[in-house]
Amino acid sequence: MKGVWGRILKVDLSQGTCTAETLPDKVYEYFLGGAGLAAYYMWKECPAGTTAFNPANRITFAGGPMTGLKQSGAAKWSAGAISPSINLNADTAATASFGIEMKETGYDAIVVHGRAAKPVYLVLDDGKAKIKDAKKFWGKDAYVTEDGIKEAEGADFEVVTIGQAGERLVRYANIQTRKKSFLGRSGLGAVMGSKLLKGIAVRGTQTCGLHDPKEADRLNKEINKRLAELDALKPEWLQIKRVGTAMATELFAPQGNLPIKNYQLADFPSGVKNFHASNYAKELNAKPWPCKYCVIQCHNLCEVKGGPYAYRGKGPEYESFAMVGFNTMVDDIKAVAYACELANLYSLDTISLGVVIAWAMECYEKGVITQKDAYGLDLKWGNAEAVVELTKKIGERAEGLGYLLGEGCKIASEVLGKGSETWAVQMKGQEIAAHNWRAQYISALNYCTGVASGPNHERGNSQHIWVGHIRLPEWGIGEVENEERWSWDKAADRNAKFHDYCNIINSACHCKFHEFRGYTLTDMVKTINAATGWNWNIEDLRKCGERITTLQKILNIRYGWKTEHDFQYPKRFMEPVDSGPAAGKIPVGLDDAIRDYYRVREWDEKGKPTKKLIQRLGMEEYVE
Ligand code: SF4
């Protein structure tokens, strides 16, 4: 087959070796690439009993058949490993140019295991790999490290790095590239830290052959042109070029979707005003900062000149400022943007950070944490300075509260007790993102049943049916009524389809923001066929999505998932809010909906794949 190399770089940090391995076509036909390839390597090499910080844990960085095409959105790539927050297999995706450059080295993926004897970074230069001493970067933040590696190796390298939070094993540490794109959620930055792997630099000149380069070129041009024309027709879409996902504030506020005061309130008028897209653009001086070939252009560069929160860098995305701002009741947009950028430097996932700080604030309000515990900080709701300072303490893993909060709010609440478990808004050890379960029940079902990365809005974004009005008619997601937000009818079926859809997107390696803007699954399947030489249709794509989901479920079971974990959801969402569009709504009936999801998926009553499903998908060899 074409479109991929069929070649993987294996790195053993304990032995200090780098070797190439070839993969049969069938692996790609079954699992495509990206997230699917990461799951495949977990299945192949990482035995039961492996934990996140064990040297046997594999961390895989993988592109897919679309990576590197000159098509808008084809900058995506994925990484996967056993997560230190959920203690299950997890994957995550980013954009920028690391995936494109990695493919140009002549490899589809890099799979790292073992633990180095001292801090190191990996250099993969046009097919040649070398492990190098990272002593001078250890203890430095993620951006300084990226600059340092580029200075040492060459400015044309693409680099991923971790900051101090990754080194110090914060369970929600992320991995960054180009100071603007992040492998967030699930703490894979701490997996790098546990291996003493500070960064990876890649550079390549090799072009992966395509089955039908003329057709691929035609599709790239036709799709890019169509998306640009559609964008121009809808002025409301154009603001994403300046403010990115920050435009979600005005969409989500009237839906009751915002996370306010640790998910206790329905409204926060000063926050809604200050985080409105127009104010964001003005106060943060936001400008487009897109990925290669992208016509949607959601990433933005911000600059705050002067004052205590001066910075120039990544503009916070909706999830970031919603959790660090709305959820802590801080309405100072400059302070929140600054705290988010600090988190990026340390390599802290901003979603978990916002939940953890809000949990600490509620503990403070209820007397579980004192001002003395909090380094003298007054952790009252809305205290911007306290949020900024606490971010530093967590990033540095300062002794005491900073260290504890780096464990995530599940472990922290188990340590502190006094009822604080009831306001720890987490599930399976991972903090919940900025879509309110009360505003559309399908969010609850997504979090409870997700297998790709535990409870994760990104890996089954069924909430987008309502929050972003996404429709995928080719995938069986047609028109919906607004009232269906609070109905379980069809929720299991839609949720299953979204889980498989997200697996396809993250395995083919394409940016899912494009599906909001007129990109179709027919576009995707045609592009995959032109690249690989396959003759797939949408049904083949769906079956592939099902296979990846099933493999992830098999891995969940291998690493210790139990049925009851799906039913241990945060209690906070069972407390109604008394005003706003979601007033009085709580996802009653969720347990039955989870069981319905199992049925739709052809899983048994315990949530495990049935023999019939395994046979239908031809996955007998993967069952344990
Ligand atoms: S929409 Fe955003 S994340 Fe996606 S490719 Fe474009 S700039 Fe990158």
Side-chain angles (χ1 to χ4, degrees), residues 107-399:
Y107 289 97
D108 295 325
I110 301 170
V111 183
V112 183
H113 76 282
R115 184 176 194 271
K118 58 183 185 180
V120 294
Y121 67 102
L122 173 72
V123 178
L124 176 55
D125 189 2
D126 221 10
K128 292 192 189 72
K130 216 170 184 182
I131 299 167
K132 295 195 173 180
D133 191 340
K135 192 172 158 210
K136 65 179 171 185
F137 304 128
W138 204 251
K140 299 279 195 300
D141 73 48
Y143 292 180
V144 166
T145 304
E146 173 162 344
D147 289 343
I149 291 177
K150 283 185 170 172
E151 201 180 312
E153 304 300 330
D156 51 349
F157 274 83
E158 293 296 332
V159 178
V160 292
T161 61
I162 55 168
Q164 300 92 330
E167 294 174 12
R168 295 166 198 173
L169 310 186
V170 170
R171 287 181 188 273
Y172 45 91
N174 64 22
I175 301 166
Q176 75 82 34
T177 183
R178 277 212 177 198
K179 306 177 185 177
K180 69 168 194 154
S181 191
F182 300 84
L183 293 163
R185 312 271 52 211
S186 305
L188 298 201
V191 176
M192 275 182 72
S194 74
K195 296 184 178 307
L196 299 189
L197 178 62
K198 185 69 174 168
I200 301 176
V202 293
R203 177 173 69 178
T205 59
Q206 302 177 45
T207 308
C208 187
L210 302 177
H211 168 74
D212 188 344
K214 267 195 185 155
E215 172 64 357
D217 191 46
R218 186 195 70 75
L219 283 164
N220 294 343
K221 286 180 180 145
E222 190 264 309
I223 290 166
N224 292 353
K225 183 166 173 278
R226 171 159 41 88
L227 295 179
E229 284 169 357
L230 275 170
D231 246 23
L233 282 177
K234 296 211 171 189
E236 70 272 23
W237 286 0
L238 289 176
Q239 69 169 338
I240 201 172
K241 289 184 168 46
R242 252 190 106 186
V243 302
T245 54
M247 61 190 286
T249 299
E250 60 243 55
L251 276 177
F252 288 12
Q255 299 171 346
N257 245 312
L258 300 175
I260 302 168
K261 202 181 181 190
N262 204 19
Y263 274 110
Q264 294 180 90
L265 296 183
D267 202 7
F268 180 29
S270 63
V272 172
K273 182 168 162 264
N274 292 352
F275 292 108
H276 190 280
S278 56
N279 197 53
Y280 177 109
K282 183 166 71 93
E283 292 293 323
L284 302 183
N285 291 305
K287 295 186 178 58
W289 193 14
C291 299
K292 216 169 178 179
Y293 309 123
C294 182
V295 298
I296 307 288
Q297 307 189 344
C298 79
H299 284 169
N300 64 69
L301 179 69
C302 290
E303 185 166 15
V304 176
K305 290 179 186 159
Y309 306 123
Y311 89 102
R312 184 174 188 274
K314 162 94 174 160
E317 296 184 15
Y318 164 73
E319 295 289 339
S320 300
F321 70 71
M323 301 318 298
V324 177
F326 286 117
N327 209 34
T328 63
M329 303 284 285
V330 172
D331 62 5
D332 180 338
I333 190 169
K334 291 180 181 172
V336 170
Y338 181 77
C340 290
E341 187 67 347
L342 275 179
N344 297 339
L345 291 164
Y346 285 117
S347 60
L348 293 166
D349 176 83
T350 46
I351 295 173
S352 286
L353 177 72
V355 176
V356 161
I357 293 179
W359 172 82
M361 286 177 152
E362 195 165 340
C363 286
Y364 183 73
E365 183 181 53
K366 291 175 173 163
V368 179
I369 290 174
T370 65
Q371 195 157 358
K372 193 169 161 227
D373 297 330
Y375 315 100
L377 298 170
D378 180 7
L379 290 187
K380 67 179 181 212
W381 297 106
N383 185 346
E385 193 192 339
V387 167
V388 168
E389 292 307 314
L390 198 53
T391 298
K392 293 180 191 166
K393 296 291 185 195
I394 298 170
E396 287 157 9
R397 287 220 92 170
E399 196 180 335

Side-chain angles (χ1 to χ4, degrees), residues 8 31 44 168 210 262 281 430 442 493 556 608:
I8 310 297
F31 307 118
K44 182 167 172 270
R168 295 166 198 173
L210 302 177
N262 204 19
Q430 180 150 270
I442 205 165
D493 179 61
N556 281 186
K608 296 181 179 174

